[in-house]
Amino acid sequence: MGRPPKNPVQHQEQQTQESMSFEEEYFKKYKEKNIDHKSKGSWQKMYAYYIDLIFKYSKKNVLDLGCAFGAISSAFADRKATVTGVDISKFATSNSPFKNIAILNKPCWDLSYIPDNSIDFVHSMYMFEYVPPEKRDLLFSEIKRVCKPDALVF
């Protein structure tokens, strides 16, 4: 692979377009480095605890965008939230071991199946940078549509 383009935004957009395949090979590379997206370990549980402590999402409707297998989503659900996880990876969503969440294989910019004003808390980690530039406005419009007036997006 040659040098990255001089324009960092161009490089990010090029990387975004090339990185849209989050299937088995993507997760396999991480697993070889002892990063298992399928496991719900202590850091996911502590993360959910502190996010709840700060944002008070338990017993509320949570939307987790880019959830992969749903480890963090499941940790949120353990804290009594009703969680819908969304991820573009068919491999991740169809191999999720977590049964306490609804997990959907959809692009994050298509939230048409979620009713207006129904979400209290939107969570995303390492997802926004992979959204194609031409889909970003649609994504944020959809997030705004599904959120309740007092919802939080993190």
Side-chain angles (χ1 to χ4, degrees):
M1 193 145 87
R3 288 188 202 187
K6 290 181 181 177
N7 179 342
V9 173
Q10 179 186 356
H11 177 64
Q12 178 188 7
E13 289 180 2
Q14 183 180 20
Q15 209 172 15
T16 299
Q17 296 301 321
E18 294 169 1
S19 302
M20 289 304 292
S21 180
F22 296 102
E23 298 308 325
E24 188 170 8
E25 285 303 310
Y26 173 84
F27 295 103
K28 193 183 223 180
K29 287 178 193 175
Y30 282 96
K31 183 112 181 183
E32 289 168 0
K33 296 176 185 175
N34 292 323
I35 299 170
D36 187 2
H37 289 85
K38 258 183 162 175
S39 68
K40 181 172 55 175
S42 59
W43 85 261
Q44 288 94 342
K45 293 173 187 175
M46 288 303 295
Y47 179 81
Y49 168 79
Y50 284 112
I51 295 295
D52 186 25
L53 192 66
I54 296 164
F55 298 115
K56 314 260 186 266
Y57 68 79
S58 63
K59 299 182 184 170
K60 295 187 177 180
N61 293 323
V62 174
L63 176 62
D64 191 7
L65 297 174
C67 69
F69 294 92
I72 293 173
S73 304
S74 180
F76 289 158
D78 290 345
R79 302 198 57 77
K80 307 299 180 224
T82 301
V83 182
T84 300
V86 178
D87 201 279
I88 201 165
S89 171
K90 185 173 184 172
F91 176 76
T93 57
S94 62
N95 287 287
S96 174
F98 305 107
K99 305 299 179 206
N100 61 344
I101 59 171
I103 190 165
L104 304 170
N105 176 227
K106 298 273 189 187
C108 60
W109 54 86
D110 174 12
L111 303 177
S112 58
Y113 47 89
I114 297 178
D116 295 0
N117 301 313
S118 61
I119 300 296
D120 299 293
F121 183 72
V122 178
H123 173 266
S124 183
M125 182 182 283
Y126 305 118
M127 184 275 307
F128 288 108
E129 62 267 31
Y130 295 104
V131 175
E134 67 276 7
K135 299 294 184 184
R136 292 177 187 155
D137 287 344
L138 177 58
L139 168 62
F140 289 110
S141 294
E142 281 291 274
I143 290 171
K144 183 177 179 182
R145 180 188 62 77
V146 302
C147 282
K148 293 178 180 177
D150 60 346
L152 294 170
V153 179
F154 179 75

